[in-house]
């Protein structure tokens, strides 16, 4: 073995021994390069700093002639209007706002990012100061694949979005009949089924069991440490998991296979009072996401209730949220699920919001919790206002995560042509927000007038009831929203 390694080394050094070309003026250490290598790895020291004999040659113009790019509607309007600039279709989009000629971006660049993030590329004139990044597309997360095409999962945590300290998210896919392995974790898990359906099961500390079937729009919650499993039905499923810790990693869950593999075999046999042979076919590495045999349609066939019985209804781990009719208002709808109706999910409150094209989830903030947001359909923008005088606007589309730290103000405006659907998750025992409309609407008129110098006629239009969503014009270039009072 040793002599083989030695002869290999000799062989490699002979092939690669040709001295690499060196910087012309001074000796550099010999460098080994592949055949055909040329040029120098390091420059001549003569190139340092100021030297009157060096003249930078004039580069060609970096200006982009007006006929080589297009402006999107609204780009030349006053920057403080902050109109949404739709860069999706314009030729060679440029970071121009409030003018027609500049500044331009000659590159390097990847246009697709600019088109998807026009409010970062061409911020509204009102954006100011520094605000931590509030956006993470799951599409930029590593997608870990399960066994034999059984599914995948991608994680968003503080590694991707450092401000997201209170919650982390996972987008998980299970192919038809596939399982997410029996497991548990240190964080609590709040989940929304996004597509398809699954059977979920768990056991609590008192030996009570839980089993249920969940479909698109339904929610489940597993408290920290509670062991559970998820199995897709024959049509597969995709779901969203939100964890009670910004550092949660889907790579770091406790798994039944690893528990057996990491325990001395005699201890395992003694624990179950069985022979060493019992587990001889158990997998020698974790299953995580893996193909399964189809679950029987009849849930009773899988109902393994012990003497302690079922987990009582008031503590059940699932909630058939899909069956709730939402609260509808002009411009959209909202439905809220929090521990007032789903008590086991203590500390988790959510709102599922729909916003019609042109409409907006009104300006608001949350009083007790950061907001973790997931975009299910459509596109939106959101400005984070942070005390005392910073703001930044971010654009989102389906599959993105947003995060707004408490108590920063924000809104969510539908910037697309289809209904916007998103989920707001709070680490709060009750879903609550402060509506700016309502705040000013039930503050003494004189006080509002002395601050903002507005007309009495406007004060009369302020709502006393929280609108949640405000309607708007589908044409996003509209600047007059005067209409019937909310
Ligand atoms: C669910 O998946 C099907 C199949 O891809 C797709 O047609 C449908 O639009 C998805 N539903 C949602 C709500 O995304
Ligand atoms: C499971 O079995 C228990 C005890 O027999 C019963 O009360 C319960 O309704 C069954 N069904 C489900 C879905 O748990
Ligand atoms: C919305 O529809 C209009 C008119 O069809 C189109 O010009 C515009 O590009 C669309 N916007 C988006 C974001 O798809
Ligand atoms: C805005 O629209 C309203 C209702 O159509 C109209 O009465 C008002 O004159 C408009 N205001 C401006 C400044 O155009």
């Amino acid at each position: 073995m040793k002599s083989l390694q030695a002869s290999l080394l000799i062989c490699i050094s002979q092939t690669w021994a040709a001295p690499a070309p060196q910087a012309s003026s001074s000796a550099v250490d010999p460098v080994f390069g592949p055949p055909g290598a040329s040029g120098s790895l390091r420059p001549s020291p003569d190139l340092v700093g100021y030297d009157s004999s060096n003249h930078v040659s004039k580069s060609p113009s970096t200006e982009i002639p007006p006929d080589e790019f297009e402006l999107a509607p609204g780009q030349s309007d006053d920057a403080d209007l902050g109109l949404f600039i739709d860069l999706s279709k314009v030729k060679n989009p440029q970071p121009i706002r409030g003018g027609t000629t500049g500044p331009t971006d000659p590159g390097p660049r990847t246009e697709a990012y600019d088109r998807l993030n026009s409010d970062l590329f061409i911020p509204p004139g009102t954006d100011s100061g520094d605000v931590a990044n509030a956006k993470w597309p799951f599409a930029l997360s590593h997608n870990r694949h399960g066994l034999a095409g059984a599914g995948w999962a991608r994680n968003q945590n503080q590694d991707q979005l450092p401000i997201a300290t209170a919650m982390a998210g996972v987008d998980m896919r299970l192919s038809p009949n596939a399982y997410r392995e029996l497991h548990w974790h240190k964080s609590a898990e709040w989940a929304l089924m996004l597509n398809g359906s699954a059977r979920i099961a768990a056991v609590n500390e008192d030996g009570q069991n839980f089993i249920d079937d969940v479909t698109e729009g339904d929610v489940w919650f597993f408290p920290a440490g509670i062991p559970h499993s998820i199995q897709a039905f024959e049509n597969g499923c995709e779901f969203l998991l939100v964890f009670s810790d910004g550092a949660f990693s889907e790579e770091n869950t406790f798994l039944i296979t690893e528990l057996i593999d990491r325990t001395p075999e005699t201890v395992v046999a003694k624990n179950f009072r069985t022979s060493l042979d019992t587990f001889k076919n158990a997998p020698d590495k974790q299953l995580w996401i893996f193909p399964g045999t189809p679950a029987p349609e009849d849930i009773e066939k899988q109902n393994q209730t012990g003497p302690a019985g079922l987990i009582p209804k008031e503590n059940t781990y699932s909630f058939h949220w899909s069956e709730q009719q939402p609260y509808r208002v002009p411009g959209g709808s909202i439905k809220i699920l929090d521990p007032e109706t789903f008590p086991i999910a203590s500390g988790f409150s959510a709102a599922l919001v729909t916003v019609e094209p042109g409409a907006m989830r009104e300006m608001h903030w949350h009083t007790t919790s950061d907001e973790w947001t997931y975009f299910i359909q459509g596109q939106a923008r959101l400005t984070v206002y942070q005390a005392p005088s910073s703001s930044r606007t971010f654009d989102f589309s389906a599959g993105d995560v947003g995060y707004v730290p408490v108590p920063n103000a924000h809104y969510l405006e539908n910037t697309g042509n289809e209904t916007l659907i998103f989920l707001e998750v709070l680490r709060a025992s009750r879903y609550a927000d402060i509506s700016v409309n309502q705040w000013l609407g039930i503050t003494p008129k004189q006080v509002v007038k002395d601050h903002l110098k507005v007309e009495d006629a406007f004060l009369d239009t302020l709502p006393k009831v929280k609108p949640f969503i405000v309607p708007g014009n589908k044409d996003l270039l509209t600047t007059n929203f005067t209409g019937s009072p909310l």
Side-chain angles (χ1 to χ4, degrees):
M1 193 63 186
K2 226 179 191 145
S3 67
L4 177 64
Q5 276 175 354
S7 58
L8 260 175
L9 264 177
I10 289 162
C11 170
I12 287 167
S13 57
Q14 277 168 353
T15 318
W16 287 18
Q22 302 187 359
S24 53
S25 63
S26 65
V28 295
D29 293 337
V31 173
F32 297 92
S38 66
S40 46
L41 277 176
R42 292 192 177 74
S44 155
D46 295 349
L47 300 179
V48 288
Y50 174 75
D51 177 342
S52 59
S53 67
N54 282 344
H55 296 283
V56 170
S57 57
K58 276 236 161 69
S59 61
S61 170
T62 64
E63 270 316 304
I64 303 172
D67 61 338
E68 286 181 17
F69 65 85
E70 270 169 22
L71 290 178
Q75 256 187 286
S76 48
D77 288 306
D78 178 14
D80 283 358
L81 288 176
L83 292 171
F84 174 69
I85 307 298
D86 177 6
L87 294 181
S88 62
K89 292 181 197 82
V90 299
K91 176 177 109 181
N92 192 10
Q94 297 300 323
I96 295 169
R97 204 191 260 274
T100 54
T101 53
T104 55
D105 181 358
R109 62 189 293 212
T110 299
E111 269 181 34
Y113 289 113
D114 302 332
R115 292 184 192 278
L116 280 174
N117 299 283
S118 66
D119 283 296
L120 289 178
F121 190 51
I122 319 174
T126 44
D127 275 13
S128 170
D130 201 13
V131 171
N133 178 40
K135 167 173 174 168
W136 183 260
F138 270 120
L140 293 182
S141 288
H142 163 75
N143 202 7
R144 178 180 171 192
H145 282 241
L147 301 178
W152 45 255
R154 41 195 175 178
N155 203 169
Q156 165 278 314
N157 63 27
Q158 279 177 269
D159 291 345
Q160 286 84 29
L161 194 54
I163 49 161
T165 53
M167 284 162 277
V170 168
D171 171 23
M172 187 174 288
R173 165 75 166 147
L174 296 180
S175 299
N177 306 314
Y179 283 100
R180 170 62 170 91
E181 178 179 349
L182 283 163
H183 71 289
W184 72 102
H185 30 73
K186 196 175 170 186
S187 306
E189 166 181 321
W190 189 98
L192 177 70
M193 183 58 83
L194 296 170
N195 204 340
S197 51
R199 179 161 295 163
I200 53 177
V203 168
N204 74 7
E205 301 90 328
D206 298 329
Q208 298 169 315
N209 74 311
F210 161 84
I211 186 162
D212 196 16
D213 295 342
V214 282
T215 190
E216 186 181 314
D218 288 344
V219 164
W220 71 80
F221 179 82
F222 293 126
I226 292 296
H228 55 280
S229 66
I230 306 160
Q231 183 178 18
F233 283 116
E234 60 191 5
N235 292 325
C237 62
E238 181 172 342
F239 45 88
L240 182 74
L241 305 170
V242 189
F243 294 92
S244 58
D245 174 7
F248 175 86
S249 169
E250 179 61 29
E251 301 283 342
N252 288 335
T253 61
F254 294 84
L255 303 157
I256 183 67
T257 50
E258 294 282 6
L259 174 65
I260 301 299
D261 280 350
R262 304 296 145 225
T263 305
E265 291 176 4
T266 50
V267 171
V268 173
K270 183 184 283 182
N271 183 68
F272 294 107
R273 284 174 297 117
T274 185
S275 74
L276 286 173
D277 274 358
T278 302
F279 290 97
K280 70 176 190 294
N281 295 326
D284 57 7
K285 61 178 181 145
Q286 60 177 259
L287 296 169
W288 186 57
I289 288 176
F290 68 103
T293 52
E297 203 173 309
D298 181 2
I299 196 168
E300 287 307 319
K301 293 194 174 137
Q302 290 192 318
N303 190 356
Q304 290 287 331
T305 308
L310 286 178
I311 290 178
K313 194 122 185 140
E314 61 272 20
N315 288 328
T316 190
Y317 292 148
S318 56
F319 196 96
H320 294 276
W321 205 19
S322 60
E323 290 172 35
Q324 184 200 338
Q325 289 305 310
Y327 174 66
R328 291 184 196 284
V329 290
S333 71
I334 181 165
K335 57 183 191 176
I336 290 168
L337 181 63
D338 63 18
E340 285 196 7
T341 35
F342 188 33
I344 193 70
S346 67
F348 272 88
S349 295
L352 189 67
V353 183
T354 70
V355 179
E356 296 308 324
M360 192 171 88
R361 169 83 171 91
E362 64 164 331
M363 293 166 70
H364 69 283
W365 67 87
H366 302 284
T367 49
T368 61
S369 168
D370 293 0
E371 171 179 327
W372 186 96
T373 308
Y374 178 74
F375 292 85
I376 296 173
Q377 179 184 290
Q379 62 180 64
R381 66 174 179 169
L382 166 169
T383 298
V384 179
Y385 160 60
Q386 183 177 293
S389 51
S390 299
S391 64
R392 190 165 293 178
T393 306
F394 300 88
D395 300 291
F396 298 89
S397 49
D400 290 348
V401 171
Y403 197 90
V404 182
V406 67
N408 294 348
H410 53 285
Y411 64 84
L412 286 113
E413 182 182 24
N414 186 338
T415 54
N417 286 340
E418 57 179 340
T419 302
L420 165 70
I421 307 177
F422 64 90
L423 177 77
E424 297 175 28
V425 184
L426 310 180
R427 294 278 288 115
S429 54
R430 189 164 172 274
Y431 181 90
D433 68 354
I434 296 290
S435 148
V436 179
N437 267 300
Q438 186 180 45
W439 176 31
L440 299 186
I442 54 179
T443 294
K445 288 185 178 175
Q446 176 209 348
V447 174
V448 177
K449 198 172 171 177
D450 283 349
H451 280 77
L452 301 175
K453 313 292 179 211
V454 291
E455 304 280 341
D456 290 321
F458 165 69
L459 291 171
D460 291 338
T461 67
L462 282 170
K464 294 186 163 44
V465 172
K466 212 177 268 190
F468 289 107
I469 293 158
V470 291
N473 198 308
K474 272 185 201 171
D475 174 6
L476 291 176
L477 301 176
T478 303
T479 55
N480 178 9
F481 301 96
T482 309
S484 45
L486 288 164

